[in-house]
Amino acid sequence: MSGGGDFTGNFDGALAAALGALVKATKAVGRLPEDIEFHRTVDDAADQRLSEVSERVLAMGNALCAGARAGPGPAEIEGVDDIAEKGGDGAWGAAPGFRSVTDTVDTLLEKIDVGLDEVLKTAAHRMRSLAQQSAPVVTTVVAGQQQQQQQQQQSVRIVHAQNIPRPQLQFKDAIDNSSATPFVWKIREKPHARVPLDHGLPSEDMADTPLGQHLHKLGIPRPRSPASPAGSGATTPRRGAPAPSIAQTLAALTASEAGSLRALPHPYEYEITHAEHPKRLFDAGSEQQPAGWDETPFEFVDSEAALGEMMAHLETASEIAIDLEHHDYRSYQGFTCLIQVSSRTRDYVVDALALRAELQCLNRVTADPQRIKVFHGADHDIQWLQRDFGVYVVGLFDTYHASKVLNMAHHSLAHLLKTYCGYHADKKYQLADWRIRPVPDEMMRYARADTHFLLYIFDRMRTELLERGQRLVGVDVGSPDSAHFGELAGMDTVMSAVQPMELVLQRSDQTSLKTYIKEGYDADHGMGGGGWAKLLKKWNHPLTPTQLTVYRVLHQWRDSCAREEDESVRYVLPNHMLFAVADRMPEEAAQLLAACRPTPPLVRLHAADIVRLIAQARKAAQSRINDVRADVEETPEPRRPVHTRFDDSGSPISGDIPRPDVLTPELLASVDDMVAPGSALFGSPTAVTSAAAGTIKGGASPGAEQMAAAARAREIRAGLVLTVAVPQTVVTGAQADREFKRVGKRAVSPEPQQQEEHKAKRPAAPV
Ligand code: AMP
Ligand code: MN
Ligand code: ZN
């Protein structure tokens, strides 16, 4: 950090000073008026001062993040707006800056996860047998860079315990982490069906196909033939839309998107798209205050009997608030740990680990379009319910979508709780280990609060949506003269004829139509959420061609190990270690372990295999590089142009012209896209393109310059050849590792004299 005293060697002093400053800053922020934007418009001096301070804070934030990353990492935050906005998917951070902050925090947490495991392991060793779960340990991390709306909280609480029994060992359903098979439904019965369960599934004619066999193995019911009017599993006769043709279904089923496997169709798609929303959503009814916390009967549901009682109660409720807590560190796909449910009069927290196999009965209320289900930011919840229990939601009202349509300042549940209920949610537990049983009191309170107030929040938002809709009646939305123009313009979309409530319901329907898709693995191109290309791009980590080969092999090893052991990839080998190992390419197990400290258990276990894989990758990369070299040397000079080309003055250009297919900026850009942004190994792509442009234009001494350019073109082509010819490696350089050296942390550049060459050809650019 710049500014402040010199605390070199005095960590405690630095920490105390930093914390003091942080507390002061936080207090000051708390005193800022809520309508700060208004003050900025009326007071120029204040506006300017605020802008200066904002910029300083932003720069400090970036410096802090850079420090925390200690190496290349996510891109910098460019503006305050980057941070303030949460992602459009209703879940956590999609805005670039927010993501950059959360990525940094993720990396820190990842390190803490590994560190805590290590510390707790030795502590546990001393105190008790390894098989026993330790008491929960609460770790408070002062993070400071929470979402802006939670300024009052600077800490993330991580509740950990050592030796938590792996709940998935008790699951009755088999966990299928295979990247070759798509996710298939758990749902067996379909309450509130308007079309049968097997509507749209492949028929038994498909029994011989791999998909048919997979479905059969999993006991998914299929119609006897495509023509059969109602197949097995139907509870009501088919009505409405005709079944899609088998060809359509199969095409949809077998098409795999980049890096992910397609799921089966949504079993309630027809019901969701054809449901009539309950009338009372459009009645400005009364708002019902939530009952007091202590007066509300609360139940932890962890037996079938208790579940039966809860269901009986819910079947009398017309609105139900639901939320989920999830665990994904010690599991490949993750699993739901708790389901919180509130009616107007009762709160429940369901033990989703103990009752995993029994929870499909929830469909009796969740799939009933007449019972309004209120969630906040349900994108993930919807998918987790399908994946773990075969539970679907018909009739969703998502308060996140409502907060967007109402154009509220922030869209988190914490903000809604504060705005409507004056309740300060303790979001510190968001990242707690929800597998811990018995659930510690403070975690239980946190979980329960997530739904306790939600129906009242729904009431308030419904009132506001309907009021706003009233004011819209007869308003010429497009006219700036309209008294409501400002208000309308403030809405997050062009509202035109759509009423705010309708808009929320449409978006909520879209959310409830989400299907869980198991992540595939795209070894060749690294596409998909967990793909190697995305990670490389995100980290912007420079790698030589050989290191890149090693990185890809490690990435794939990590993925298959995680699938096999049912662990998250970050448990198997955290990202920062993956890059550290790719950098060092250790030749012996001891070196590997030294690159990963503290060593993740699965790395220790498989150290010999990993080292062997690295050696193979290095060898393969080297021999490919040699092959391509030989190929380049044998390649004849570029062909002469078939068409005559003219320079700017209209004179014909003669001589060798590099093949345009090699040199198009698009092509170069796409290659650059495939690899880390910082790895334009020839210098910047612009430099290459302008070098080529120089050739085509000819010039004073066409001969020498064109020869040089043609040579460059061959190099570039060799790079592309290598890219295409080496399915195991994407390499942007035609040259071997040692011909490149790392300059600074991010850039990989050619040798100095080549760099000079580039500079000479590059048009002078402001730095
Ligand atoms: P919530 O809806 O806020 O209660 O969050 C539900 C679950 O989502 C939590 O149990 C976590 O597993 C996960 N989750 C919530 N927030 C985050 C976050 N910022 N980063 C990663 N996971 C999160
Ligand atoms: Mn949630
Ligand atoms: Zn929650």
Side-chain angles (χ1 to χ4, degrees):
M1 249 186 291
S2 61
D6 178 13
F7 294 105
T8 323
N10 178 2
F11 181 72
D12 286 347
L15 192 64
L19 278 177
L22 194 60
V23 168
K24 241 172 85 186
T26 311
K27 279 192 182 149
V29 166
R31 284 197 300 267
L32 288 174
E34 282 237 350
D35 48 353
I36 198 155
E37 288 307 320
F38 169 76
H39 289 268
R40 291 182 87 141
T41 50
V42 296
D43 185 345
D44 278 348
D47 180 42
Q48 199 183 343
R49 186 89 185 90
L50 271 168
S51 299
E52 284 163 20
V53 173
S54 303
E55 265 165 38
R56 264 180 57 208
V57 169
L58 197 62
M60 275 167 67
N62 275 323
L64 275 173
C65 284
R69 286 192 292 266
E76 287 207 344
I77 306 161
E78 276 155 21
V80 179
D81 292 343
D82 269 5
I83 319 169
E85 189 50 73
K86 259 187 133 189
D89 62 352
W92 41 91
F98 183 81
R99 229 187 296 148
S100 150
V101 172
T102 51
D103 286 347
T104 304
V105 175
D106 279 353
T107 306
L108 285 174
L109 291 176
E110 216 168 57
K111 290 180 182 171
I112 291 165
D113 270 329
V114 178
L116 270 176
D117 272 353
E118 196 72 3
V119 170
L120 289 168
K121 199 186 296 163
T122 38
H125 241 319
R126 260 182 262 123
M127 288 158 55
R128 75 192 84 221
S129 102
L130 264 174
Q132 222 169 8
Q133 180 183 316
S134 72
V137 175
V138 179
T139 313
T140 303
V141 184
V142 177
Q145 59 278 73
Q146 291 270 298
Q147 292 142 290
Q148 279 194 336
Q149 62 264 41
Q150 293 169 31
Q151 282 140 346
Q152 76 276 14
Q153 305 152 13
Q154 293 93 41
S155 58
V156 176
R157 268 292 175 101
I158 307 172
V159 185
H160 266 256
Q162 181 61 21
N163 304 317
I164 300 169
R166 288 172 68 74
Q168 56 267 59
L169 297 178
Q170 309 298 322
F171 292 170
K172 291 177 188 154
D173 52 314
I175 290 176
D176 176 12
N177 288 335
S178 162
S179 61
T181 53
F183 166 74
V184 282
W185 298 344
K186 285 215 166 65
I187 186 170
R188 292 292 178 275
E189 261 177 55
K190 188 178 169 187
H192 309 286
R194 292 173 63 183
V195 297
L197 181 58
D198 53 20
H199 181 84
L201 274 187
S203 78
E204 279 182 5
D205 304 353
M206 297 299 137
D208 289 340
T209 66
L211 180 75
Q213 285 160 5
H214 189 60
L215 290 175
H216 180 73
K217 218 170 62 203
L218 290 147
I220 301 295
R222 283 163 292 132
R224 269 159 294 280
S225 86
S228 83
S232 55
T235 47
T236 47
R238 180 188 299 254
R239 243 193 281 156
S245 78
I246 292 300
Q248 278 172 332
T249 309
L250 255 201
L253 285 168
T254 48
S256 70
E257 283 164 357
S260 61
L261 297 159
R262 281 295 296 268
L264 293 168
H266 192 299
Y268 279 95
E269 181 177 337
Y270 181 86
E271 285 77 7
I272 291 170
T273 51
H274 291 74
E276 255 182 52
H277 297 295
K279 291 264 180 309
R280 58 187 191 288
L281 277 168
F282 298 92
D283 295 336
S286 61
E287 292 161 4
Q288 201 173 325
Q289 288 274 352
W293 186 267
D294 294 321
E295 287 78 55
T296 308
F298 168 72
E299 186 117 32
F300 182 64
V301 177
D302 61 352
S303 69
E304 284 185 59
L307 177 63
E309 283 171 31
M310 180 184 89
M311 287 305 295
H313 172 71
L314 293 180
E315 281 177 307
T316 69
S318 45
E319 292 97 26
I320 302 168
I322 304 178
D323 185 45
L324 273 61
E325 301 305 330
H326 185 256
H327 178 85
D328 64 7
Y329 182 56
R330 301 299 309 273
S331 152
Y332 186 77
Q333 299 180 71
F335 47 77
T336 307
C337 298
L338 295 178
I339 301 179
Q340 304 99 291
V341 184
S342 292
S343 70
R344 294 282 182 182
T345 53
R346 288 170 180 270
D347 294 330
Y348 299 92
V349 171
V350 180
D351 185 342
L353 300 176
L355 293 174
R356 184 176 167 100
E358 332 309 323
L359 289 178
Q360 207 168 107
C361 64
L362 283 172
N363 277 326
R364 299 209 311 261
V365 291
T366 57
D368 183 348
Q370 288 308 311
R371 286 178 218 287
I372 299 160
K373 269 71 60 181
V374 182
F375 283 66
H376 181 84
D379 286 54
H380 289 87
D381 299 345
I382 292 292
Q383 298 175 56
W384 295 338
L385 285 169
Q386 295 174 19
R387 181 196 59 198
D388 295 341
F389 320 109
V391 166
Y392 297 83
V393 178
V394 183
L396 173 66
F397 182 98
D398 191 326
T399 50
Y400 168 80
H401 292 312
S403 77
K404 292 291 272 190
V405 169
L406 289 170
N407 196 33
M408 294 180 72
H410 305 286
H411 312 289
S412 67
L413 178 60
H415 181 72
L416 301 187
L417 283 166
K418 198 167 78 185
T419 308
Y420 293 117
C421 312
Y423 179 85
H424 291 267
D426 202 354
K427 277 283 162 189
K428 284 185 267 191
Y429 293 99
Q430 207 163 36
L431 299 178
D433 192 328
W434 292 103
R435 299 173 302 164
I436 299 172
R437 297 290 180 277
V439 180
D441 281 350
E442 46 183 348
M443 283 168 64
M444 191 77 92
R445 258 198 312 279
Y446 165 84
R448 187 183 159 196
D450 271 354
T451 56
H452 176 78
F453 303 94
L454 202 52
L455 292 178
Y456 174 67
I457 291 175
F458 157 70
D459 285 345
R460 293 282 300 270
M461 295 185 115
R462 180 188 53 188
T463 304
E464 284 185 30
L465 289 166
L466 295 175
E467 272 177 18
R468 214 169 275 207
Q470 274 300 309
R471 277 181 273 149
L472 278 175
V473 173
V475 171
D476 178 5
V477 184
S479 158
D481 299 334
S482 152
H484 297 284
F485 184 76
E487 185 182 345
L488 293 166
M491 290 185 173
D492 75 329
T493 190
V494 179
M495 305 286 298
S496 63
V498 186
Q499 289 289 304
M501 175 58 93
E502 282 291 352
L503 196 58
V504 173
L505 295 174
Q506 275 174 20
R507 292 184 184 175
S508 299
D509 283 350
Q510 286 310 309
T511 296
S512 62
L513 281 168
K514 290 211 168 232
T515 47
Y516 176 69
I517 297 176
K518 206 198 321 178
E519 181 123 347
Y521 193 82
D522 175 12
D524 288 343
H525 304 103
M527 295 294 132
W532 59 260
K534 188 167 174 186
L535 184 64
L536 193 58
K537 193 162 187 165
K538 189 164 130 183
W539 277 62
N540 195 21
H541 189 97
L543 294 173
T544 65
T546 305
Q547 284 172 336
L548 187 60
T549 313
V550 170
Y551 162 79
R552 289 183 50 182
V553 165
L554 283 170
H555 189 278
Q556 189 165 13
W557 170 81
R558 171 172 90 158
D559 184 75
S560 37
C561 181
R563 286 178 198 267
E564 224 157 87
E565 304 280 347
D566 198 24
E567 299 283 6
S568 65
V569 292
R570 64 187 203 280
Y571 175 77
V572 175
L573 178 65
N575 290 334
H576 65 279
M577 290 190 193
L578 172 58
F579 284 109
V581 178
D583 277 342
R584 300 193 203 178
M585 304 194 286
E587 287 169 14
E588 281 162 28
Q591 293 168 334
L592 171 69
L593 301 187
C596 312
R597 290 253 184 255
T599 311
L602 289 166
V603 170
R604 190 180 297 279
L605 191 66
H606 297 286
D609 287 344
I610 298 172
V611 168
R612 204 171 319 125
L613 282 172
I614 294 173
Q616 280 169 9
R618 290 179 83 145
K619 233 171 96 184
Q622 199 50 53
S623 81
R624 282 186 196 112
I625 287 167
N626 292 341
D627 286 355
V628 171
R629 274 234 189 88
D631 183 43
V632 171
E633 272 147 30
E634 282 168 20
T635 310
E637 292 294 297
R639 280 179 291 159
R640 291 187 172 269
V642 177
H643 303 287
T644 312
R645 292 177 189 247
F646 300 89
D647 67 14
D648 284 346
S649 61
S651 327
I653 302 167
S654 60
D656 288 338
I657 291 176
R659 285 165 56 175
D661 59 341
V662 174
L663 287 173
T664 59
E666 290 80 3
L667 203 51
L668 288 164
S670 75
V671 172
D672 192 48
D673 229 33
M674 300 265 304
V675 191
S679 66
L681 295 180
F682 299 103
S684 80
T686 347
V688 175
T689 326
S690 51
T695 320
I696 290 169
K697 281 196 179 153
S701 56
E705 216 179 297
Q706 282 183 13
M707 291 269 283
R712 289 294 299 149
R714 276 201 301 283
E715 275 177 38
I716 293 161
R717 190 158 114 243
L720 293 173
V721 168
L722 200 55
T723 306
V724 177
V726 183
Q728 290 307 308
T729 343
V730 169
V731 180
T732 44
Q735 305 163 50
D737 302 1
R738 61 189 163 76
E739 294 178 270
F740 298 93
K741 67 167 201 173
R742 286 175 63 165
V743 176
K745 268 182 186 162
R746 291 192 177 215
V748 176
S749 308
E751 288 294 329
Q753 93 265 16
Q754 284 177 345
Q755 242 173 358
E756 288 309 314
E757 214 176 292
H758 282 213
K759 256 190 229 137
K761 282 175 188 162
R762 198 179 305 172
V767 181

